[in-house]
Amino acid sequence: MALEGDINMQNCRNIDFKNHSDGRGDLVAIEHPKDLPFEIKRVYYIYNVNAETPRGFHSHKDLEQVLLAVNGEIKIRLKTPNEEEIVQLSDPSKGLYVGPMVWREMFDFSDHAVLLVLASHEYDENDYLRNYDDYEKEYAKVYKREVK
Ligand code: T46
């Protein structure tokens, strides 16, 4: 399992945001283009998730996102047909960039965990690949690669 800082797979990486920490607490600001590779068109957050209830199980065709655990701990399984990583998010100053064509599953939400997501586009159900076989076929088409 990787921590936020260690992720290294296709279309995924860690982004360290500056933490303006002082005696009063911590403050993280996120600006485009300084800190983010895309303009934010949408923000959503996921909370009140039971530890036994995984979410996600899809890929996006084009959407780029940054995921942050602004409270608690959350595990993210990232998968392509060739690679798989589990990343634990727990530091609100570290974002996980997830680009197009990466299968994701979110699980093991700790008590009071909040997953904040910054997204490059408005919500569009047509951008989702919610079936793994369809995802693999699309991946092979996009990257002109046989899947194992
Ligand atoms: C992702 C992971 C990390 C909206 O109406 N607008 C929105 O912006 C979103 C994200 C969702 N919805 C609706 C669509 C569904 O009726 O909210 C419901 C739950 O969405 P979904 O089942 O897709 O949620 P997750 O937690 O499985 O996945 C979400 C995002 O959808 C997805 O883009 O990458 O979080």
Side-chain angles (χ1 to χ4, degrees):
M1 189 169 70
L3 293 176
E4 291 107 319
D6 300 333
I7 183 74
N8 176 26
M9 64 178 270
Q10 187 183 14
N11 292 352
C12 297
R13 66 188 161 83
N14 170 245
I15 302 182
D16 278 327
F17 299 113
K18 185 171 169 46
N19 187 347
H20 302 270
S21 185
D22 59 28
R24 299 168 300 166
D26 295 336
L27 186 155
V28 174
I30 301 175
E31 282 182 29
H32 168 79
K34 192 158 61 84
D35 309 301
L36 269 193
F38 56 82
E39 215 166 311
I40 299 169
K41 293 273 178 59
R42 177 168 51 112
V43 174
Y44 60 91
Y45 39 97
I46 299 173
Y47 61 106
N48 277 343
V49 180
N50 186 303
E52 314 300 320
T53 312
R55 303 182 62 109
F57 298 89
H58 58 254
S59 167
H60 284 281
K61 296 177 197 165
D62 292 319
L63 189 69
E64 297 175 89
Q65 302 192 110
V66 169
L67 281 58
L68 298 114
V70 289
N71 196 51
E73 292 173 6
I74 301 151
K75 293 196 182 92
I76 317 285
R77 176 175 291 108
L78 300 167
K79 239 166 116 161
T80 69
N82 308 307
E83 293 172 283
E84 177 167 344
E85 280 273 15
I86 293 176
V87 186
Q88 175 156 302
L89 302 182
S90 59
D91 182 340
S93 73
K94 291 184 194 298
L96 173 64
Y97 170 85
V98 182
M101 298 308 296
V102 179
W103 188 263
R104 81 281 322 261
E105 299 167 11
M106 302 90 79
F107 63 104
D108 271 4
F109 283 66
S110 69
D111 279 353
H112 309 297
V114 181
L115 179 64
L116 177 72
V117 183
L118 314 174
S120 64
H121 291 93
E122 295 86 351
Y123 176 70
D124 176 9
E125 189 56 40
N126 293 321
D127 189 63
Y128 284 74
L129 294 161
R130 291 191 183 267
N131 172 287
Y132 194 78
D133 289 344
D134 294 344
Y135 160 69
E136 277 199 330
K137 283 184 197 132
E138 186 67 18
Y139 181 98
K141 228 185 336 172
V142 170
Y143 294 107
K144 308 211 172 12
R145 254 195 231 171
E146 283 299 312
V147 297
K148 283 183 210 157

